[in-house]
Amino acid sequence: MSAADAKAQKRQKFEAVFAKLRDELLEHFAAQGMPEDAQKWYRRNLEYNVPGGKLNRGLSVVDTVEILKGRSLTEDEYFKAALLGWCVELLQAFFLVSDDMMDQSITRRGQPCYYRVENVNLIAINDSFMLEMAIYYLIKSHFRSEPCYINLVELFLETTYQTEIGQLIDLITAPEDHVDLSKFSLQKHQLIVIYKTAYYSFYLPVALAMYMCGIPHASSGSSGTDPYALAKSILVPLGEYFQVQDDFLDFAGTPEQIGKVGTDIIDNKCSWCVNTALAQATPAQRAVLDANYGRKDAQAEARVKALYEEMGIRGIYEEYEEAAYKRIMGLIETIPETPVAKPGEVVLKREVFKSFLGKIYKRQK
């Protein structure tokens, strides 16, 4: 079987679990005596917003559980790992529905943003809340009697709060309709990226898998590093590197390559590229950025891109990428190569992080 076929089959298996979870949520909803039109509405909300993306975050939970257990999963283990993966996708859907309203975006995943669907409009606010709360219904339904239950709930709550903090900093730093580059800096960019992306896209899927596999926190007074703190110390820089790469591809990648037209310059995004340019711009170069960044004008965008080329942003990015790769590999190597595990015990493995880094390093889309 080719790698592409294996990937498609893996996705198909994961998507089959969504159908079961959707039906479970709808059955519970109907059992509350909800009217037929509300049932149809909730179904459309779930189907329109949850399953259509790349599903990387959700599939990462399943992949990590398999790596940690070091074997194929039983049917029940697969279902539970996939359920947690779909809870991450529900969280993502909650963020995207609300984020698109805040940004007044037009399309998402090749279709109109949900709030722009006929008759939805501001009802999308409540629909986003329902997507979020479906997470806690499903976790309670399937993990209530498991030792990891409260850890799963607390992890989702903490990660949601972190992401909302990141969103606030982003919204007040780079509003689309008011350009003020004095608010931008590489430090601000790093803060936004860590809170808005790294925690929920990278740490959350791995920590969920670790809890499901029964990996304990280090006991107080123990000499070893807490495995969750260790995982976070690797995954947050990994998430930061991923977002810098995304920002760079928005500028340097072609639509054929990245599957979309880059809009960070026109949308006044607090991107790594503009912050890197600002950090070393001469007064004349800064004037070009002030006059052209964040303008809804193709010529202004072209002037900013030309300035990026003149300032050597491509070369700076290549240096950044190599340094980030070495730094992350160094962090991964702090995990014992052959961890000592008691019979039946699951311990953290380097392979979890290497598989993430392998998917990201030098990616072109």
Side-chain angles (χ1 to χ4, degrees), residues 267-308:
D267 290 345
N268 188 37
K269 294 288 185 196
C270 184
S271 153
W272 177 85
C273 299
V274 71
N275 282 298
T276 300
L278 286 167
Q280 57 191 60
T282 63
Q285 289 169 330
R286 173 61 189 257
V288 172
L289 289 169
D290 282 328
N292 295 283
Y293 198 79
R295 314 283 169 210
K296 307 285 184 206
D297 172 355
Q299 287 179 317
E301 181 189 31
R303 284 192 280 273
V304 173
K305 286 192 168 182
L307 183 66
Y308 285 173

Side-chain angles (χ1 to χ4, degrees), residues 176-235:
E176 212 173 313
D177 57 352
H178 180 70
V179 183
D180 180 1
L181 297 184
S182 67
K183 287 186 168 186
F184 285 20
S185 68
L186 281 165
Q187 290 76 10
K188 187 79 72 76
H189 176 264
Q190 183 183 44
L191 196 62
I192 292 167
V193 166
I194 288 171
Y195 277 84
K196 191 178 168 180
T197 302
Y199 283 126
Y200 96 92
S201 299
F202 288 82
Y203 178 65
L204 174 63
V206 172
L208 288 170
M210 289 167 68
Y211 281 129
M212 183 183 147
C213 291
I215 294 180
H217 280 277
S219 54
S220 54
S222 97
S223 57
T225 307
D226 179 65
Y228 292 86
L230 183 56
K232 192 180 285 186
S233 75
I234 299 168
L235 292 162

